[in-house]
């Protein structure tokens, strides 16, 4: 070929072309770079970088086919082709020694390239001089697209990692429920204000009216005043007490709770004489008259939407409905106040000697007791003459002074979870009653009675540590379930009166409630999440 020199007897080793790039003969032209080219360029870049290219760059289009007579690399003394496959084509010279390279197979699978014009096989470019041994780098076959590492790099977008939220413990769940049951101060203030205005108006009207109820006084009772009200301040109980002197009580059917009320001789006459049936003061007659007067006084109230609800059989209350605009229910309960000794049926009741102390018990029993027009059940009806004993004022005291330590649950004292357990159980029963009509016979008084027994059996404040809320609540549930199973829940003040007797609550209802409580208890109280 033109310009070809005779083959030398032995090839002369030359320095790497990277260092002679600036001394290239004028007549020699380097091949244009193309994707995948390993041609060494300026010395500042490594052969590896030139082969792989910048991962951030887009693939470049392949260079056009090299024209005949132009070598793709700068040549040194030309030699004949090792295979003769090129025929009379221009013979490429011997390549100069190059820096160590990574074998092509170890570079992994490349990203798709633009179509290229086939190149002359490597073997036709002449025999390479022996290369110094190289240490192969770890194969990149396991790598995905260029620039990513590890088996995760598959070219697909990674799914967001799921949040690792720890499951809610029972303690946390119960505390969350208690937080939701707390009454808001502004709601309490607004509800109490309108209720107090209605009650004040009724009380004033009855005291100025010439009637048998002229001497009534207000006595706040119920869960709101006991500070165990839950959910919303929408229910209030208010007693209108009327002192009755010189009464004689006759126990009804050995119940210990229901009594017939008779009067001893009253000088000047008996103001309640026209409510008598023979010698017995009729609870139903007196309640009917009380309701009539309240209806008349309600009509006089201005500026408040209030009405009297329909009478409920066996209920001792006259229920008012206030729309403010939310509905508020107010039970006005007539109560006879007696300052005599407590009935003999209560002698072994109020078992607080080992809890609140003997002195406290003696003091409480010196307080008046009350009789409300709650009739005893007789078959499917009620005995209209009967009255039932009430200890609402004493219960209110116990709930406010429930600790062995006088400072228990005060601002500067140690806290306990006694009331928390009561609130949770009241809420559980309330939610179950919303779903099942079979539970209409049950009332919150059963829950309060049961918790009093629990506090008596476990009087130490340390037993009711708030940190052990779930344990204490479970113990309370276990006690209540046992009462249902054995059909035995004794009145806290009247030991022989069974609140779970067949006469008070039928067996089917007790079994139904037991089943529902056990289900909630064994499944983490799912009903607490429904409302």
């Amino acid at each position: 070929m033109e310009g070809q020199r005779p083959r030398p007897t032995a090839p002369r080793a030359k320095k790497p072309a990277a260092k002679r790039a600036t001394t290239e003969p004028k007549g020699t032209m380097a091949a244009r770079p193309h994707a995948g080219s390993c041609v060494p360029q300026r010395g500042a870049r490594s052969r590896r970088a030139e082969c792989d290219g910048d991962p951030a760059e887009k693939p470049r289009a392949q260079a056009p086919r090299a024209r005949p007579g132009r070598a793709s690399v700068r040549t040194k003394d030309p030699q004949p082709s090792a295979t003769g496959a090129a025929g009379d084509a221009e013979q490429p010279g011997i390549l100069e020694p190059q820096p160590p390279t990574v074998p092509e197979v170890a570079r992994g699978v490349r990203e798709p390239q633009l179509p290229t014009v086939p190149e002359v096989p490597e073997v036709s470019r002449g025999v390479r001089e022996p290369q110094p041994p190289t240490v192969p780098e770890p194969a990149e076959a396991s790598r995905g697209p260029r620039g990513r590492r590890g088996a995760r790099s598959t070219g697909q977008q990674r799914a967001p990692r799921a949040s690792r939220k720890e499951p809610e413990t029972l303690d946390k769940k119960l505390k969350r429920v208690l937080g939701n049951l707390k009454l808001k101060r502004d709601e309490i203030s607004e509800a109490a204000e309108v209720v107090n205005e209605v009650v004040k108006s009724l009380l004033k009207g009855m005291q100025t009216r010439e009637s048998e109820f002229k001497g009534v006084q207000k006595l706040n009772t119920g869960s709101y005043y006991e500070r165990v009200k839950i959910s919303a301040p929408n229910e209030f109980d208010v007693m209108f007490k009327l002192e009755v002197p010189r009464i004689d009580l006759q126990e009804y059917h050995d119940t210990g709770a229901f009594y017939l009320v008779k009067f001893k001789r009253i000088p000047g006459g008996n103001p309640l004489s026209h409510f008598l049936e023979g010698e017995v003061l009729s609870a139903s007659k007196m309640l009917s008259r009380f309701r009539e007067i309240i209806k008349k006084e309600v009509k006089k109230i201005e500026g408040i939407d209030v009405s009297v609800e329909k009478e409920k059989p066996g209920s001792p209350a006259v229920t008012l409905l206030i729309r403010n605009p939310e509905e508020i229910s107010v039970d006005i309960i007539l109560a006879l106040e007696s300052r005599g000794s407590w009935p003999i049926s209560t002698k072994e009741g109020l078992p607080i000697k080992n809890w609140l102390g003997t002195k406290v018990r003696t003091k409480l029993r010196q307080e008046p007791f009350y009789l409300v027009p709650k009739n005893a059940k007789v078959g499917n009806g009620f005995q209209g003459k009967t009255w039932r004993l009430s200890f609402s004022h004493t219960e209110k005291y116990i709930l406010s002074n429930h600790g062995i330590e006088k400072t228990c649950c005060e601002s500067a004292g140690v806290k306990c979870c006694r009331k928390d357990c009561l609130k949770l159980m009241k809420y559980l029963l309330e939610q179950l009653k919303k779903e099942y009509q079979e539970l209409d016979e049950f009332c919150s008084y059963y829950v309060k009675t049961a918790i009093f027994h629990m506090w008596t059996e476990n009087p130490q404040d340390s037993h009711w540590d708030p940190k052990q809320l779930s344990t204490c609540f479970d113990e309370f549930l276990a006690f209540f379930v046992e009462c249902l199973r054995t059909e035995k829940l004794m009145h806290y003040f009247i030991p022989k009166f069974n609140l779970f007797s067949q006469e008070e609550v039928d067996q089917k209802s007790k079994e139904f409630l037991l089943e529902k409580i056990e289900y909630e208890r064994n499944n983490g109280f799912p009903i607490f999440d429904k409302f």
Side-chain angles (χ1 to χ4, degrees):
M1 293 180 66
E2 184 180 356
Q4 183 175 14
R5 293 184 293 178
R7 179 178 180 181
T9 57
R12 292 180 296 174
K14 294 293 184 177
K15 294 182 179 180
K19 294 185 179 181
R20 299 188 54 177
T22 58
T23 61
E24 181 179 358
K26 190 173 182 179
T28 307
M29 180 178 181
R32 297 178 186 178
H34 59 82
S37 174
C38 295
V39 178
Q41 298 185 15
R42 306 191 75 88
R45 301 186 62 178
S46 67
R47 180 169 180 79
R48 170 71 182 276
E50 291 165 355
C51 292
D52 291 346
D54 189 344
E57 293 179 357
K58 297 181 179 179
R60 299 181 181 178
Q62 296 292 339
R65 183 191 304 273
R67 291 176 293 176
R70 297 290 184 181
S72 61
V73 294
R74 187 164 49 84
T75 62
K76 180 63 174 149
D77 303 323
Q79 297 179 6
S81 172
T83 61
D88 295 332
E90 181 182 56
Q91 300 296 327
I94 298 174
L95 296 177
E96 296 182 5
Q98 302 297 331
T101 62
V102 179
E104 189 71 23
V105 294
R107 292 175 191 156
V109 180
R110 295 184 180 276
E111 295 180 355
Q113 305 292 339
L114 296 174
T116 60
V117 179
E119 295 182 354
V120 179
E122 184 72 16
V123 294
S124 66
R125 297 179 184 172
V127 180
R128 293 180 182 271
E129 295 186 6
Q131 302 293 333
T134 60
V135 179
E137 293 184 7
E140 296 179 351
S142 63
R143 297 187 186 178
R146 198 183 308 278
R148 299 185 181 182
R149 293 186 177 181
R152 276 187 262 171
S153 299
T154 60
Q156 300 179 358
Q157 186 177 359
R158 288 173 55 189
R161 183 175 297 177
S163 59
R164 296 180 179 178
K165 185 178 179 180
E166 295 182 1
E168 188 178 39
T169 63
L170 181 57
D171 256 345
K172 289 182 178 179
K173 184 172 189 175
L174 297 180
K175 289 177 181 178
R176 173 174 57 81
V177 172
L178 286 170
N180 295 336
L181 295 179
K182 285 185 178 179
L183 303 182
K184 297 180 180 179
R185 287 191 175 184
D186 55 343
E187 293 180 354
I188 295 173
S189 178
E190 183 178 356
E193 183 178 352
V194 66
V195 169
N196 288 337
E197 188 173 346
V198 169
V199 170
K200 182 180 178 181
S201 179
L202 290 177
L203 193 61
K204 183 179 179 180
M206 298 188 80
Q207 289 173 341
T208 57
R209 173 186 289 270
E210 289 297 329
S211 73
E212 302 84 357
F213 304 100
K214 188 173 183 178
V216 295
Q217 299 290 331
K218 175 185 172 184
L219 179 65
N220 294 327
T221 60
S223 59
Y224 172 78
Y225 300 100
E226 294 166 349
R227 299 186 181 276
V228 291
K229 186 73 183 74
I230 59 174
S231 301
N234 55 4
E235 292 182 355
F236 293 79
D237 295 331
V238 180
M239 271 190 177
F240 278 12
K241 62 179 183 177
L242 181 67
E243 184 176 358
V244 286
R246 300 179 59 79
I247 59 174
D248 185 21
L249 298 181
Q250 180 180 336
E251 186 176 345
Y252 181 76
H253 287 184
D254 197 34
T255 58
F258 293 96
Y259 287 83
L260 298 175
V261 177
K262 297 181 180 181
F263 288 93
K264 297 177 182 178
R265 183 175 179 276
I266 301 176
N270 184 353
L272 304 178
S273 59
H274 56 280
F275 296 132
L276 295 176
E277 290 187 3
E279 297 181 345
V280 178
L281 181 65
S282 172
S284 57
K285 282 187 176 181
M286 196 167 181
L287 180 59
S288 294
R289 177 60 176 162
F290 183 69
R291 172 180 288 273
E292 289 177 6
I293 295 176
I294 287 181
K295 282 183 176 181
K296 293 178 180 179
E297 294 301 326
V298 163
K299 292 179 180 179
K300 299 178 182 179
I301 298 175
E302 298 180 354
I304 300 176
D305 185 359
V306 55
S307 60
V308 179
E309 291 284 273
K310 186 179 179 181
E311 182 178 2
K312 299 176 182 177
S315 173
V318 178
T319 303
L320 307 181
L321 185 63
I322 302 174
R323 296 174 180 85
N324 189 45
E326 293 81 9
E327 292 186 351
I328 301 174
S329 176
V330 183
D331 282 346
I332 308 295
I333 303 169
L334 173 65
L336 303 180
E337 181 183 73
S338 174
R339 294 187 174 275
S341 299
W342 285 19
I344 192 67
S345 63
T346 67
K347 183 178 180 180
E348 301 301 326
L350 192 59
I352 60 173
K353 292 181 180 179
N354 297 327
W355 171 24
L356 301 180
T358 303
K359 291 183 179 180
V360 173
R361 184 178 185 274
T362 301
K363 181 182 177 180
L364 291 175
R365 286 181 59 84
Q366 291 173 349
E367 295 290 324
F369 68 92
Y370 297 89
L371 293 155
V372 297
K374 172 73 173 177
N375 302 147
K377 286 184 177 181
V378 180
N380 295 327
F382 298 92
Q383 171 51 264
K385 296 180 180 180
T386 56
W387 299 74
R388 195 178 79 175
L389 292 175
S390 173
F391 303 92
S392 298
H393 60 304
T394 309
E395 294 163 2
K396 180 180 176 182
Y397 176 89
I398 293 174
L399 287 166
S400 300
N401 303 272
H402 52 257
I404 286 183
E405 296 294 332
K406 293 181 179 181
T407 59
C408 181
C409 289
E410 293 184 359
S411 57
V414 177
K415 302 295 186 293
C416 77
C417 65
R418 287 182 175 95
K419 282 189 176 182
D420 288 342
C421 290
L422 174 58
K423 290 178 182 179
L424 288 169
M425 186 58 195
K426 286 181 65 176
Y427 184 61
L428 177 60
L429 179 60
E430 179 182 288
Q431 300 310 104
L432 289 173
K433 289 180 68 174
K434 286 181 180 179
E435 290 202 353
Y436 306 105
Q437 294 181 352
E438 295 89 338
L439 303 178
D440 286 346
E441 289 190 70
F442 292 94
C443 63
S444 62
Y445 188 75
Y446 298 151
V447 176
K448 183 162 65 172
T449 299
I451 200 73
F452 281 169
H453 284 297
M454 281 292 295
W455 293 352
T456 301
E457 292 181 7
N458 303 280
Q460 297 299 326
D461 296 343
S462 58
H463 182 87
W464 303 92
D465 188 340
K467 296 178 181 178
Q468 304 296 325
L469 174 62
S470 60
T471 301
C472 294
F473 183 51
D474 188 69
E475 290 177 354
F476 180 31
L477 286 174
F479 177 80
F480 196 83
V481 164
E482 186 62 20
C483 291
L484 291 169
R485 182 176 290 110
T486 59
E487 300 184 75
K488 186 176 181 181
L489 176 61
M490 309 314 297
H491 196 288
Y492 195 67
F493 297 85
I494 310 168
K496 70 178 183 179
F497 182 52
N498 184 10
L499 295 172
F500 279 174
S501 66
Q502 187 64 29
E503 292 75 20
E504 295 296 315
V505 185
D506 67 84
Q507 183 178 356
K508 185 178 293 187
S509 296
K510 285 176 284 197
E511 291 176 351
F512 188 85
L513 179 57
L514 187 154
E515 177 186 341
K516 296 305 175 184
I517 291 178
E518 286 284 44
Y519 174 82
E520 295 295 327
R521 185 183 176 196
N522 295 331
N523 291 276
F525 304 97
I527 199 168
F528 285 164
D529 299 320
K530 290 185 178 181
F531 303 92

